[in-house]
């Protein structure tokens, strides 16, 4: 029996475990990436582990999220990351060099390699045929130290692409169609592997748009074959030697399969406030638009930006629209500048931003009250734009540009002649904004600003837990609900005590004070709890507030791993209906929980207030049980190195 691409890469990196879906496998990590909003924590944890030099083939620290610098905090974090990177053997991509995923695709990604990144959109690298996975900062820190990455062996779903995209329909519409079919939970437990004739017609940046937004499916990652198109891309980046061919065996077996006919797709839009709330642009109709943002790690490649510039050339942005454009990298911005495309954008009235995440994570450009904002990014969660009442619609760059000119949501097919840009034969390559690490880091002094506070470390799991339910939330709660991120909060990613004041702010602003007053307790969640980002702050902050366990209908992958890494129990209701048997303030008891976790015995929650027994499940690998018992990955890693 042959292998698919995902299995081939896992097999060639397998350190332990069997490649059977659901089993714990450990894989060797070739490359890591961090960004600044998760990176400070990742490097603090790397320092706490105490390994003198990273052991990966390459590790890169990017500065791309916290670039607004309204106070000293961001700049202090940048300096900390720059110096810690230099000392421990990590390349440093300076602020302004671009969004981690775009730059990594351009300059470092290699087909067949594994990449672990402290950002949920790390699967962007799958566009190049990498096995690129998003994880919490602590997992990345361990991987930098040479430790294997543990995950439940995913199933592999084949996405068979047939036909060819029609003019004005682009990669964003492909992934929106996948999201429409499968929903934000549809990828949980899966790797999405793209195959079929249609693959050839997609360039690497287009493939990367699709794998990037596989994160919104909840998938472990997404991967494309590495073929002649991949070779051409790497050659144009001056790195043809990094190319290898990678395809599924002809008799490869998949756990599941869907087919997408590219020729039947039309421009699509994800309506507020979920990426799977998908409809056609035509159906949604000409709603009035206040803001358009073209950028983010999903759609900020040279191809996307040139296409937009061609559409804007000679036109003027509608008077009621603010058009904001953030090219994904210095390379893209430089090429736009030299081709004249940047001048066409400026001339049309676009507001040009530096190459960074920017508005995608609410770092500036918050729209007006009740605004309709069209964005090419990947997430439209409520409040993420920085304006609580704004309605964010996710669209392709083509739909975004057409709408910016007309002032209403516009189907780009009404524009006539197609304008899609071609991939260049040669990209402008200048890595002068990527600082290599010191040959010998001993003499490098790590600079720590006053905003860097110690992070919480758990204690070993208690014998019994008795505490109250502090909050009860519904389905699809995102990490943006648990630990919001915006221009005001992102500067405090290395300051857990400060962040804790805002935990669950969009759901219940009194949660932090209640948690402190009651000395911690339980969180009750619905299904797909913790979807979205990789930020381990959504676990570290609850840990700081004394959360002992989250009891939910189901969990999103990265967040569940982050809870375990923090030593917080991720329990699920054995019967989903039992969710109704717990209310806020109920006193809950987990008797002999330590022994039960240790011996994998059935767990029953006693709701003392309602006098009800509720069966729970704890689906953990043997290793994860040890992490929970030890009080998290850091304690466990230290215990192991002491043995
Ligand atoms: C996001 O898109 O939500 C982020 C900001 O990039 C996060 C990481 C973070 O919270 O710092 C992610 O996707 O993992
Ligand atoms: Fe940055 Fe947005 Fe991409 Fe997250 S999704 S890495 S905030 S551009």
């Amino acid at each position: 029996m042959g292998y698919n691409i995902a299995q081939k890469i896992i097999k060639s990196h397998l350190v332990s475990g069997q490649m059977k879906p659901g089993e714990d496998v450990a894989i060797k990590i070739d490359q890591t990436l961090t960004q600044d909003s998760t990176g400070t924590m990742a490097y603090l944890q790397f320092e706490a582990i105490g390994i003198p030099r990273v052991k990966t083939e390459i590790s890169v620290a990017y500065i791309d999220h916290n670039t607004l610098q309204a106070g000293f905090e961001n700049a202090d974090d940048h300096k900390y990351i720059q110096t810690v990177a230099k000392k421990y053997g990590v390349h440093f991509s300076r602020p302004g060099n671009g969004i981690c995923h775009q730059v990594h695709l351009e300059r470092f990604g290699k087909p067949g390699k594994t990449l672990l990144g402290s950002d949920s959109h790390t699967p962007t690298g799958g566009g190049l045929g990498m096995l690129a996975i998003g994880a919490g900062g602590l997992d990345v820190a361990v991987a930098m130290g040479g430790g294997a990455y543990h995950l439940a062996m995913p199933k592999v779903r084949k996405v068979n692409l047939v036909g060819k995209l029609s003019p004005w329909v682009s990669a964003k519409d492909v992934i929106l169609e996948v999201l429409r079919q499968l929903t934000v939970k549809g990828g949980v437990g899966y790797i999405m592997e793209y195959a079929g004739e249609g693959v050839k017609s997609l360039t690497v940046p287009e493939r990367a748009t699709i794998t990037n937004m596989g994160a919104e499916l909840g998938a472990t990652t997404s991967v494309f074959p590495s073929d002649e198109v991949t070779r051409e891309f790497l050659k144009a980046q001056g790195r043809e030697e990094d190319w290898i061919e990678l395809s599924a065996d002809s008799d490869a077996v998949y756990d599941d399969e869907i087919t997408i006919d590219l020729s039947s797709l039309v421009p699509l839009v994800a309506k507020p406030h979920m990426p799977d709330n998908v409809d056609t642009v035509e159906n949604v109709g000409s709603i009035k638009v206040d803001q358009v943002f073209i950028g983010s790690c999903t759609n900020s490649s040279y191809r996307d930006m040139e296409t937009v510039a061609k559409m804007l050339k000679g036109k003027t942005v509608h008077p009621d629209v603010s058009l904001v454009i953030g090219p994904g990298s210095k390379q893209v911005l430089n090429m736009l500048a030299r081709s004249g495309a940047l001048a066409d954008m400026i001339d049309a009235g676009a507001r040009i931003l530096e190459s960074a995440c920017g508005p995608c994570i609410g770092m500036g450009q918050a729209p007006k009250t009740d605004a309709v904002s069209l964005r090419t990014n990947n997430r439209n969660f409520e409040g993420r734009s920085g304006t609580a009442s704004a309605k964010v619609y996710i669209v392709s760059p083509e739909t975004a540009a057409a709408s910016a000119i007309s002032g209403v949501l516009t189907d780009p097919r009404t524009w006539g002649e197609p304008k899609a840009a071609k991939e260049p034969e040669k990209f402008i390559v200048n890595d002068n904004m990527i600082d290599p690490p010191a040959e010998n880091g001993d003499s490098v002094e790590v600079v720590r600003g006053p905003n860097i506070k110690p992070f919480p470390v758990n204690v070993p799991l208690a014998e019994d837990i008795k505490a109250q339910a502090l909050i009860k939330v519904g389905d699809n709660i995102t990490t943006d609900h648990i630990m919001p991120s915006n221009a005001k909060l992102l500067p405090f990613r290395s300051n857990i005590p400060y962040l804790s004041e805002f935990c669950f702010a969009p759901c219940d602003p009194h949660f932090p004070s209640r948690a402190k007053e009651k000395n911690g307790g339980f969180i009750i969640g619905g299904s797909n709890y913790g979807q979205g980002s990789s930020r381990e702050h959504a676990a570290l902050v609850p840990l700081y507030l004394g959360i002992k366990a989250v009891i939910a209908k189901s969990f999103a992958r990265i967040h569940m791993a982050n809870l375990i890494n923090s030593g917080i129990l991720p329990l699920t209701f054995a019967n989903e209906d039992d969710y109704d048997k717990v209310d806020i303030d109920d006193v809950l008891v987990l008797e002999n929980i330590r022994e039960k976790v240790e011996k994998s015995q059935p767990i029953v929650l006693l709701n003392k207030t309602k006098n009800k027994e509720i069966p729970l499940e704890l689906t953990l690998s043997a290793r994860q049980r040890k992490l929970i018992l030890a009080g998290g990955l850091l304690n466990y890693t230290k215990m192991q190195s002491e043995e």
Side-chain angles (χ1 to χ4, degrees):
M1 192 182 77
Y3 289 110
N4 53 50
I5 297 171
Q7 290 165 339
K8 281 187 186 183
I9 305 181
I10 293 176
K11 189 165 180 284
S12 62
H13 290 80
L14 199 64
V15 175
S16 68
Q18 284 195 19
M19 296 198 331
K20 285 196 195 129
E23 299 254 319
D24 182 67
V25 287
I27 55 172
K28 178 182 173 296
I29 296 299
D30 302 319
Q31 304 188 345
T32 63
L33 71 77
T34 56
Q35 40 90 336
D36 47 334
S37 66
T38 54
T40 36
M41 206 47 78
Y43 294 107
L44 287 168
Q45 289 159 337
F46 181 80
E47 288 186 290
I49 296 171
I51 289 172
R53 189 93 181 163
V54 295
K55 295 185 178 157
T56 46
E57 288 175 15
I58 188 146
S59 288
V60 191
Y62 293 91
I63 304 293
D64 53 2
H65 281 63
N66 296 337
T67 53
L68 214 50
Q69 298 175 225
F72 64 92
E73 294 88 356
N74 294 160
D76 278 8
D77 284 355
H78 299 175
K79 194 39 116 191
Y80 166 67
I81 294 176
Q82 182 174 25
T83 50
V84 86
K86 191 166 189 174
K87 185 172 184 74
Y88 293 105
V90 177
H91 284 69
F92 178 72
S93 172
R94 291 160 61 179
N97 195 44
I99 307 174
C100 53
H101 309 304
Q102 177 65 28
V103 178
H104 208 86
L105 192 79
E106 293 167 357
R107 306 306 308 139
F108 297 107
K110 290 185 187 176
K113 296 284 181 187
T114 53
L115 165 69
L116 196 71
S118 65
D119 191 282
S120 65
H121 291 103
T122 302
T124 313
L128 268 177
M130 306 189 84
L131 195 83
I133 302 179
L138 185 50
D139 279 323
V140 176
V142 169
M144 284 192 285
Y149 177 61
H150 288 256
L151 73 164
M153 179 68 196
K155 294 184 190 164
V156 185
R157 178 180 283 135
K158 179 175 177 182
V159 186
N160 193 24
L161 299 180
V162 298
K164 214 170 167 247
L165 291 173
S166 312
W168 294 111
V169 182
S170 62
K172 184 57 141 286
D173 302 307
V174 179
I175 187 64
L176 287 176
E177 173 60 15
V178 180
L179 272 153
R180 190 185 70 75
Q181 291 191 19
L182 299 178
T183 80
V184 290
K185 295 188 266 187
V188 175
Y190 279 95
I191 292 177
M192 310 290 290
E193 181 165 318
Y194 289 81
E197 269 305 290
V199 164
K200 274 197 222 132
S201 65
L202 298 171
T203 62
V204 166
E206 289 173 303
R207 296 174 185 184
T209 294
I210 295 171
T211 58
N212 170 288
M213 248 184 112
E216 275 51 69
L217 294 162
T220 303
T221 188
S222 303
V223 65
F224 269 82
S226 170
D227 56 8
E228 279 307 314
V229 176
T230 323
R231 188 213 286 261
E232 285 306 314
F233 175 82
L234 287 170
K235 189 171 164 200
Q237 289 285 356
R239 340 193 253 123
E240 196 180 359
E241 69 284 0
D242 289 344
W243 181 78
I244 57 158
E245 191 176 6
L246 200 58
S247 58
D249 291 333
S250 55
D251 56 346
V253 178
Y254 294 86
D255 298 287
D256 205 344
E257 178 169 342
I258 59 169
T259 294
I260 305 271
D261 180 2
L262 298 176
S263 24
S264 72
L265 295 183
V266 296
L268 295 173
V269 47
K271 296 178 287 181
H273 298 284
M274 274 296 146
D276 62 358
N277 192 11
V278 175
D279 203 342
T280 63
V281 170
E282 201 175 2
N283 273 349
V284 175
S286 325
I287 49 169
K288 205 161 160 26
V289 171
D290 302 290
Q291 184 193 50
V292 175
F293 167 56
I294 305 177
S296 91
C297 57
T298 318
N299 277 116
S300 60
S301 66
Y302 174 73
R303 177 255 170 230
D304 288 341
M305 292 291 155
E306 271 285 337
T307 304
V308 166
K310 284 181 185 207
M311 292 176 71
L312 296 180
K313 189 176 171 128
K315 307 257 184 339
T316 300
V317 174
H318 189 278
D320 293 336
V321 174
S322 167
L323 170 64
V324 184
I325 299 185
S329 67
K330 168 181 169 254
Q331 180 182 75
V332 172
L333 185 52
N334 201 359
M335 289 183 65
L336 295 176
R338 298 206 193 177
S339 73
L342 184 62
D344 294 334
M345 290 172 163
I346 296 170
D347 213 34
R351 302 169 67 181
I352 309 295
L353 301 181
E354 71 172 317
S355 298
C357 300
C360 175
I361 187 59
M363 264 301 196
Q365 299 291 339
K368 76 175 183 54
T369 306
D370 298 335
V372 166
S373 176
L374 300 193
R375 297 180 167 216
T376 64
N377 45 235
N378 41 44
R379 292 182 173 147
N380 58 347
F381 303 148
E382 200 167 2
R384 185 175 155 106
S385 66
T387 302
S389 66
K391 293 180 273 305
V392 175
Y393 292 72
I394 305 176
V395 293
S396 69
E398 289 84 346
T399 301
S403 308
I405 299 299
S406 65
V408 291
L409 178 67
T410 301
D411 187 329
R413 291 175 302 172
T414 57
W415 266 56
E417 272 302 289
K419 301 240 191 276
K422 296 242 169 333
E423 278 297 274
E425 273 177 27
K426 227 173 167 346
F427 289 95
I428 297 173
V429 174
N430 181 355
D431 291 332
N432 62 342
M433 292 288 278
I434 300 171
D435 294 348
E439 293 265 320
N440 178 351
D442 290 353
S443 60
V444 178
E445 195 202 327
V446 177
V447 181
R448 283 165 233 274
N451 186 42
I452 297 181
K453 300 275 185 276
F455 57 90
V457 179
N458 212 338
V459 291
L461 182 65
E463 300 299 334
D464 311 283
I465 299 175
K466 181 178 177 196
Q468 273 176 281
L470 297 174
I471 189 168
K472 183 173 178 182
V473 290
D475 292 344
N476 290 325
I477 285 295
T478 71
T479 52
D480 280 327
H481 291 103
I482 307 169
M483 195 54 256
S485 274
N486 53 41
K488 295 188 186 97
L489 291 182
L490 270 166
F492 297 95
R493 281 294 184 89
S494 45
N495 187 341
I496 301 287
Y498 182 83
L499 279 187
S500 74
E501 301 296 326
F502 303 90
C503 188
F504 276 116
C507 306
D508 177 358
H510 303 297
F511 170 77
S513 52
R514 196 162 50 247
K516 281 183 186 158
E517 184 193 310
K518 312 238 158 153
N519 212 1
F522 290 86
I523 292 171
I524 311 299
S527 63
N528 201 23
Y529 178 84
Q531 70 158 322
S533 87
S534 69
R535 70 190 68 136
E536 54 192 351
H537 305 75
L540 288 175
V541 168
L543 169 64
Y544 176 80
L545 291 171
I547 297 302
K548 315 275 184 277
V550 181
I551 309 176
K553 291 185 187 170
S554 66
F555 288 92
R557 179 186 67 89
I558 307 180
H559 184 59
M560 177 160 162
N562 285 338
L563 288 173
I564 298 167
N565 285 350
S566 304
I568 297 177
L569 281 160
L571 295 155
T572 50
F573 292 102
N575 311 308
E576 286 201 355
D577 292 349
D578 286 347
Y579 169 83
D580 298 328
K581 292 187 184 155
V582 185
D583 286 308
I584 184 162
D585 288 339
D586 285 358
V587 175
L588 309 174
V589 181
L590 289 168
E591 246 171 45
N592 291 332
I593 185 68
R594 190 175 171 88
E595 189 183 342
K596 288 184 175 152
V597 171
E598 212 161 5
K599 300 188 178 153
S600 284
Q601 289 168 351
I603 298 173
V604 177
L605 178 78
L606 175 63
N607 185 336
K608 277 221 156 209
T609 310
K610 296 200 164 54
N611 202 15
K612 284 200 165 95
E613 292 201 338
I614 302 169
L616 300 177
E617 271 164 15
L618 184 65
T619 323
L620 299 184
S621 67
R623 173 180 173 270
Q624 287 173 324
R625 282 178 194 278
K626 289 185 192 153
L627 299 190
I628 288 284
L629 291 168
L633 178 56
L634 209 55
N635 288 341
Y636 179 73
T637 311
K638 280 190 181 156
M639 263 164 48
Q640 282 204 314
S641 55
E642 280 159 18
E643 270 168 18

